[in-house]
Amino acid sequence: MTEAEQETVAKAAPDLAALEQEGEIAADYVEGLLDIADMDGDIDMDVEGDRAVVSVVDVKGGDLVGRNGEILEALQELTRLAVHRQTGERSRLMLDVGGFRERRRAELSKIGGEVADEVKRSGEPKPLQPMTPFERKIVHDAVAAAGLRSESEGEEPNRFVVVLPA
Amino acid sequence: MLEEALEHLVRGIVEHPDEVQVRARRIRTGRVLEVRVHPDDLGKVIGRGGRTAKALRTVVNALSDGKFVRVDLLDLNEAR
């Protein structure tokens, strides 16, 4: 099965109990790290659609986000592996720290809408900065909401969105 | 604290958590953390294209107060 197909299956039947279990494992892993690093933070767990979301809020004593979210991406990667080790299933869990993803989501949505308007006026395709898969998805959604199409080009980690004229 | 943090991160992702060992060494250019894992887990902590190793290095260096820390990944039987 390809990854896209697996996602479709997951969407067809989001198993709430399994996603909650993912959240528990992830929260333990991250909380353990906070304790060792002598950092404070509260951990919220949620399920959004077909994925578990673990958010660390009110973080004090260190930076787990990084300038462009690179620390957060790294920690999310490790957290997903920790979940995978215990469940045997590949995890799509989302980790957020200090509302970073929430803010980034709003910012990217705005950019997607603005670039779509620009492309409507100019009639020219417009490439954007390289982004993570999570970020590109938000831009694609915003462009689609504005009534245009977009594609991803290039290779990770430099893959970027191109907004296409109608 | 860094050794303990790295040990926690690695133990959570391997099949043989009890066989994870972390040792700190000083070298001229700074600090090295040597992580030893069960031979079957080495591929896991390195990851495809070194992805997991990179993630471990990123998180450890995020906790090191701006001082560069090298992270070496070895299998338990490797001598040093």
Side-chain angles (χ1 to χ4, degrees), chain A residues 4-15 49-51 92 137:
Chain A
E5 283 167 329
Q6 282 177 346
E7 284 186 19
T8 315
V9 172
K11 248 172 212 148
D15 180 344
D50 60 351
R51 73 165 89 195
R92 297 177 58 242
K137 168 84 166 67

Side-chain angles (χ1 to χ4, degrees), chain A residues 28-29 32-33 36-37 39 63-64 70-71 74-75 77-78 81-82 85, chain B residues 1 4-5 8-9 11-15 51-52 55-56 58-59 62-63:
Chain A
D28 285 347
Y29 188 68
L33 182 68
I36 294 166
M39 290 173 67
D63 177 19
L64 287 179
E70 68 277 4
I71 303 168
L75 189 55
E77 172 93 19
L78 296 172
L81 290 174
R85 205 257 296 180
Chain B
M1 172 281 264
E4 207 187 329
H8 170 77
L9 290 172
R11 282 202 167 147
I13 64 173
V14 296
E15 296 298 328
R51 209 182 142 110
T52 309
L56 288 168
T58 300
V59 176
L63 302 173

Side-chain angles (χ1 to χ4, degrees), chain A residues 40-95:
Chain A
D40 281 334
D42 291 329
I43 298 187
D44 290 346
M45 286 182 284
D46 202 358
V47 172
E48 269 180 30
D50 60 351
R51 73 165 89 195
V53 181
V54 168
S55 313
V56 190
V57 295
D58 296 328
V59 191
K60 285 181 206 82
D63 177 19
L64 287 179
V65 175
R67 209 178 323 166
N68 298 305
E70 68 277 4
I71 303 168
L72 178 57
E73 290 299 327
L75 189 55
Q76 174 176 282
E77 172 93 19
L78 296 172
T79 304
R80 284 177 172 182
L81 290 174
V83 172
H84 177 256
R85 205 257 296 180
Q86 290 198 35
T87 64
E89 301 290 330
R90 182 166 295 224
S91 170
R92 297 177 58 242
L93 176 128
M94 186 165 97
L95 179 69

Side-chain angles (χ1 to χ4, degrees), chain B residues 10-60:
Chain B
V10 173
R11 282 202 167 147
I13 64 173
V14 296
E15 296 298 328
H16 305 276
D18 293 342
E19 296 186 50
V20 175
Q21 297 171 6
V22 179
R23 197 164 69 101
R25 286 197 300 140
R26 290 221 154 265
I27 54 166
R28 217 147 46 134
T29 47
R31 235 168 134 196
V32 182
L33 295 183
E34 280 178 3
V35 186
R36 285 160 195 276
V37 298
H38 187 280
D40 293 349
D41 282 327
L42 190 59
K44 191 160 269 176
V45 294
I46 292 170
R48 209 194 317 160
R51 209 182 142 110
T52 309
K54 188 171 173 237
L56 288 168
R57 292 181 175 123
T58 300
V59 176
V60 166

